[in-house]
Amino acid sequence: MSHTITLRRTGADELAELQREHGRALFGFLLGLTHGDAQRAEDLVQETLVRAWQHPEAWQSEHASMRPWLFTVGRRLAIDARRARLARPQEVETEALEQRPAPEDRYESSLTAIDVRRAVGSLGPEHREVLVQVYFRDRSVSEAAQVLGIPAGTVKSRTHYALRALRKGLPGYGLGA
């Protein structure tokens, strides 16, 4: 039994020596494979060293150095980790979710559209025409004036009064008073 403890201690000493001898070079190599992500590269170094500890047969090869074996294992681990990340949905931080608008409620938007249509329909034809030109056809005041054949000042005043009437006709929509 004490023989097993001695082997483990020796294995730990050899592993520590392996890290001292190759850890920095392995980290630099893996840092390149992880596009500069130091935390991920450090995790891969540790996982590579765990694999070395789990496979003592690799220590008994004819090669003068363990470095090629470590780099091969590290590269394969990096590839596997990348594939795993790409295969699963991207993680989203809670803060990002809080800043994202709520999903569109189609029922609610349909009701809103009905309310807006009714409110616009309740306007007189002159006010309705101005809103259609300025807001629905995205024309400037001067373009709307030209299309409607009225002065720009009239377009501005009709727009003002039409919006005021809509605010009164659409209570609860946060349009102000």
Side-chain angles (χ1 to χ4, degrees):
M1 184 107 179
S2 66
H3 181 67
T4 306
I5 294 171
T6 305
L7 284 177
R8 284 187 183 165
R9 184 175 298 138
T10 304
D13 291 342
E14 289 175 342
L15 195 58
E17 178 62 31
L18 195 64
Q19 178 156 7
R20 278 192 295 279
E21 189 176 335
H22 304 290
R24 187 174 295 221
L26 183 59
F27 176 76
F29 172 70
L30 293 171
L31 190 63
L33 292 179
T34 60
H35 304 287
D37 187 336
Q39 182 62 50
R40 189 168 288 144
E42 182 61 37
D43 290 345
L44 290 169
V45 167
Q46 295 304 316
E47 181 63 27
T48 303
L49 293 173
V50 166
R51 297 289 172 95
W53 181 72
Q54 291 173 335
H55 297 279
E57 69 275 5
W59 299 59
Q60 297 157 358
S61 71
E62 302 94 36
H63 299 293
S65 173
M66 283 285 293
R67 191 171 285 191
W69 186 89
L70 291 170
F71 275 46
T72 300
V73 170
R75 182 176 65 78
R76 288 180 181 159
L77 288 171
I79 290 168
D80 290 347
R82 177 167 166 67
R83 285 181 182 156
R85 273 192 323 281
L86 294 175
R88 67 177 178 254
Q90 184 177 2
E91 297 173 10
V92 179
E93 294 179 19
T94 307
E95 186 177 307
L97 287 175
E98 291 170 359
Q99 293 175 357
R100 189 168 185 210
E104 184 179 327
D105 181 353
R106 291 189 177 154
Y107 176 74
E108 188 68 34
S109 64
S110 295
L111 290 178
T112 300
I114 291 169
D115 288 345
V116 170
R117 280 190 192 134
R118 284 184 183 153
V120 171
S122 71
L123 298 174
E126 296 163 337
H127 291 120
R128 196 173 36 247
E129 287 174 345
V130 168
L131 289 184
V132 166
Q133 294 300 319
V134 174
Y135 289 100
F136 298 110
R137 297 213 171 116
D138 198 28
R139 292 198 168 119
S140 68
V141 170
S142 61
E143 290 170 336
Q146 186 177 9
V147 169
L148 296 171
I150 57 176
T154 304
V155 170
K156 287 180 186 180
S157 66
R158 286 182 184 173
T159 301
H160 170 77
Y161 289 114
L163 291 176
R164 190 169 87 177
L166 285 179
R167 281 187 195 100
K168 288 180 183 176
L170 294 169
Y173 281 93
L175 299 174

